């Protein structure tokens, strides 16, 4: 079982991203024969990441981690739906992973599609794509009005960060298993966003239990 607490796991992600953003290569990301052999027996991912499917945000690379390090769930718009909650429950229970990070990013197509949809509602959208937009939409409408004067980029950033916070909240409260692990077992669910421009990840500012 995983022995790394949430705060130490978060520190590893911060350090990994700093290496990535500085174009420095870590030694732990390569899959050596020894590491592969070790991973056939078991996995102990130190963090669970719910990220976006965007090709420009490859989670392991962004945090400079290798095979066996991260339990990654990717879906357009890093939304929360039952199967995604189930994936988090599975990893947190099975591997004892104590940190969950929802990772959004700048220029997210799912966020842009939601904003477009609010400006110009379409009727011919696929019901499957609509299921994603509908999960991002709550809260975004009000942000468009509030940040309109600051321009389209500001609206997009506000919508993206609000979407990360919404997913964090849904994960924290969307499952009795996760709620229980948070209350009694040191599980931390937090959020972060990745900048395509400088390669840096910014984390939600929160105090973590040690
Ligand atoms: Zn995206």
């Amino acid at each position: 079982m995983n022995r790394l607490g949430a705060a130490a796991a978060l520190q590893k992600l911060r350090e990994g991203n700093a290496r990535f953003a500085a174009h420095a290569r870590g030694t732990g990301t390569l899959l050596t024969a020894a590491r592969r052999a070790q991973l056939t027996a078991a996995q102990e991912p130190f963090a669970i990441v719910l990220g976006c499917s965007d090709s420009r945000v490859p989670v392991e690379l962004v945090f400079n981690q290798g095979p066996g390090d991260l339990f990654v769930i990717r879906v357009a718009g890093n939304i929360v739906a039952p199967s995604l909650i189930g994936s988090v429950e599975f990893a947190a229970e099975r591997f004892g992973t104590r940190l969950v990070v929802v990772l959004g990013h700048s220029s997210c197509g799912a966020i842009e599609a939601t904003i477009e949809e609010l400006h110009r509602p379409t009727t011919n959208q696929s019901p499957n794509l609509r299921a994603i937009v509908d999960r991002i939409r709550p809260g975004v409408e009000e942000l468009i009005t509030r940040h309109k004067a600051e321009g389209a980029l500001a609206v997009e950033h506000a919508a993206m960060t609000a979407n990360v916070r919404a997913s964090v909240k849904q994960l924290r409260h969307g499952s009795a298993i996760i709620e229980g692990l948070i209350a009694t077992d040191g599980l931390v669910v937090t959020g972060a966003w990745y900048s395509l421009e400088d390669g840096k990840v910014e984390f939600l500012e929160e105090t973590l239990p040690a």
Side-chain angles (χ1 to χ4, degrees):
M1 275 304 249
N2 217 301
R3 281 171 226 275
L4 204 61
L10 190 69
Q11 187 56 26
K12 273 186 90 158
L13 291 183
R14 283 186 194 278
E15 288 168 5
N17 177 245
R19 287 194 299 272
F20 172 78
H23 308 289
R25 282 178 72 180
T27 51
T29 59
L30 294 176
L31 185 61
T32 59
R35 179 67 172 143
R36 182 162 50 221
Q38 188 188 27
L39 287 173
T40 57
Q43 58 172 316
E44 289 181 358
F46 70 85
I48 300 164
V49 180
L50 172 64
C52 181
S53 304
D54 195 298
S55 66
R56 299 164 296 177
V57 195
V59 176
E60 285 88 348
L61 295 181
V62 159
F63 289 116
N64 196 229
Q65 301 299 321
D69 291 333
L70 301 178
F71 190 91
V72 178
I73 307 150
R74 288 176 71 177
V75 58
N78 41 270
I79 55 157
V80 170
S83 55
L84 310 170
I85 298 177
S87 302
V88 172
E89 286 177 350
F90 170 79
E93 282 206 312
R94 179 69 61 94
F95 311 125
T97 310
R98 284 300 167 259
L99 178 67
V100 182
V101 177
V102 176
L103 182 68
H105 66 99
S106 58
S107 306
C108 181
I111 300 291
E112 288 165 358
T114 305
I115 294 171
E116 264 170 42
E117 174 70 18
L118 285 166
H119 285 310
R120 284 186 305 277
T122 52
T123 48
N124 59 355
Q125 198 177 49
S126 124
N128 305 307
L129 181 57
R130 182 170 290 276
I132 292 177
V133 169
D134 282 348
R135 285 181 189 275
I136 298 175
R137 192 201 308 255
V140 170
E141 213 155 11
E142 182 253 339
L143 286 170
I144 292 179
T145 322
R146 201 189 323 158
H147 294 276
K148 207 171 189 168
E150 297 155 57
L153 264 181
V155 168
E156 208 178 295
H157 183 76
M160 183 272 286
T161 56
N163 183 51
V164 166
R165 287 175 203 275
S167 287
V168 167
K169 200 170 163 192
Q170 285 163 43
L171 276 182
R172 281 179 183 162
H173 303 293
S175 143
I177 291 175
I178 295 174
E179 274 194 341
L181 289 172
I182 290 172
T184 61
D185 226 345
L187 181 75
V188 168
V189 181
T190 189
W193 37 87
Y194 172 75
S195 161
L196 294 187
E197 291 75 18
D198 63 13
K200 289 181 182 161
V201 172
E202 195 179 323
F203 287 86
L204 274 177
E205 285 306 327
E206 288 177 312
T207 315
L208 297 192

